[in-house]
Amino acid sequence: MKLIVTGGAGFIGSNYIIYTMKAHPEDQVICLDALTYAGNLENLKSVENNPNFTFYKEDIRNREGVYKIFEKEKPDVIINFAAESHVDRSITNPQIFVETNVLGTQVLMDACRKYGIKRYHQVSTDEVYGDLPLDRPDLFFTEQTPIHASSPYSASKASADLLVGAYHRTFGLPCTISRCSNNYGPYQFPEKLIPLMISNAEHDKPLPVYGNGMNVRDWLYVEDHCKAIDLIIRKGTVGEIYNIGGHNEMHNIDIVKIIVKALGKSEDLITYVKDRAGHDRRYAIDPTKIHNELGWLPETMFKDGIQKTIQWYLDNKDWWENIVNGEYQNYYKKMYENR
């Protein structure tokens, strides 16, 4: 099988490529990434010399460039990880989120229609559902939960999901959608909660926590997410949505304290800052459907996954320090500019 993985140099996309090339070494994997600030080719060092791996620097909004790749490669499956994904950035600049997350998705699906594919898979988020009250732990997001986006980021992802559904119904495009809870693990860009707290704590810098830190997220170890997507593209039902959740609900402040303790730092580093505008209170996914239909369950308990993640960042300080000082952006030039 030949797969195009868009956003494959990002956090989840790179983990997916690494996972799938181990699990299915016979497959050909094409990574398409614009290498915006969160794309990092260093994430793919372990596969870059594999003969079944190809990289294209391209923006999914560039119709002409995307069509050329489709025409040349003739892929079987498209997995769209490419997205602007940081809520704070979407509040500052909503436009780029609409352009990439909605219009970029349309370009990809138009390419699929023009050149033909066996499956288009849209990687989405539980944030399209809005949030749940903190005092109702019995409530969970299901695939039937109405869309009720809170931020420009989640609204752009919800818009893309609706467009994918429309392309399936109107044009018969063979699509699936997955909506996941918060991912964590190796190669996550250090603007997100867990890697930010690890990198700041290692430098004894303040650990900024929004509001009172009591917002709840359902945490999913990234490799478990990759395994779920792999099942969906190979065995999932066309036209269906699958929720992927970790059954690991945690208050943000508790995660920060776990990191502080693991690194032997003082909780005095924790600094409470003004809450994010429209900050969702609680996310929690019910993954019953993907379990019943495809047999998937999360394998990594948070207590184990967070320790593995902390250790990975301690073992790979050069990786995140290169990001902090901007050196990672020179990797593409070094590896590909003269090829």
Side-chain angles (χ1 to χ4, degrees), residues 1-5 24 26-31 52 54 56 69-79 116-119 233-234:
M1 191 159 70
K2 183 180 280 192
L3 301 87
I4 286 182
V5 179
H24 308 283
E26 71 284 358
D27 286 352
Q28 292 178 266
V29 177
I30 296 138
C31 174
N52 281 346
T54 306
Y56 290 96
I69 293 169
F70 271 69
E71 189 167 356
K72 178 182 178 182
E73 298 291 350
K74 298 178 175 57
D76 301 303
V77 174
I78 312 302
I79 306 173
I117 44 94
K118 294 177 181 176
R119 177 70 61 86
I233 65 168
R234 295 170 195 276

Side-chain angles (χ1 to χ4, degrees), residues 12-47:
I12 308 176
S14 62
N15 273 281
Y16 179 79
I17 288 174
I18 292 166
Y19 168 76
T20 200
M21 295 194 79
K22 287 179 182 176
H24 308 283
E26 71 284 358
D27 286 352
Q28 292 178 266
V29 177
I30 296 138
C31 174
L32 189 161
D33 200 295
L35 297 183
T36 54
Y37 80 95
N40 186 355
L41 274 177
E42 290 185 359
N43 299 0
L44 296 167
K45 274 185 177 180
S46 64
V47 300

Side-chain angles (χ1 to χ4, degrees), residues 16 45 68 103 115 186 204 208 211 269 323:
Y16 179 79
K45 274 185 177 180
K68 284 181 179 178
L103 300 181
Y115 295 101
D204 294 309
L269 289 174
I323 291 175

Side-chain angles (χ1 to χ4, degrees), residues 62-119:
N62 181 5
R63 188 176 294 270
E64 181 181 359
V66 168
Y67 280 17
K68 284 181 179 178
I69 293 169
F70 271 69
E71 189 167 356
K72 178 182 178 182
E73 298 291 350
K74 298 178 175 57
D76 301 303
V77 174
I78 312 302
I79 306 173
N80 182 26
F81 291 96
E84 295 286 344
S85 65
H86 192 45
V87 174
D88 290 351
R89 289 176 184 263
S90 80
I91 294 170
T92 303
N93 180 17
Q95 182 172 335
I96 186 65
F97 285 74
V98 174
E99 291 174 355
T100 298
N101 298 355
V102 183
L103 300 181
T105 297
Q106 182 194 20
V107 168
L108 289 173
M109 290 193 297
D110 285 344
C112 291
R113 289 185 62 215
K114 181 176 176 66
Y115 295 101
I117 44 94
K118 294 177 181 176
R119 177 70 61 86

Side-chain angles (χ1 to χ4, degrees), residues 86 88 193 207-215 252 271-277 279:
H86 192 45
D88 290 351
L193 177 67
L207 308 179
V209 175
Y210 281 129
N212 61 6
M214 295 305 292
N215 302 69
N252 288 348
T271 305
Y272 294 94
V273 299
K274 182 180 178 182
D275 208 357
R276 170 195 290 159
H279 199 177

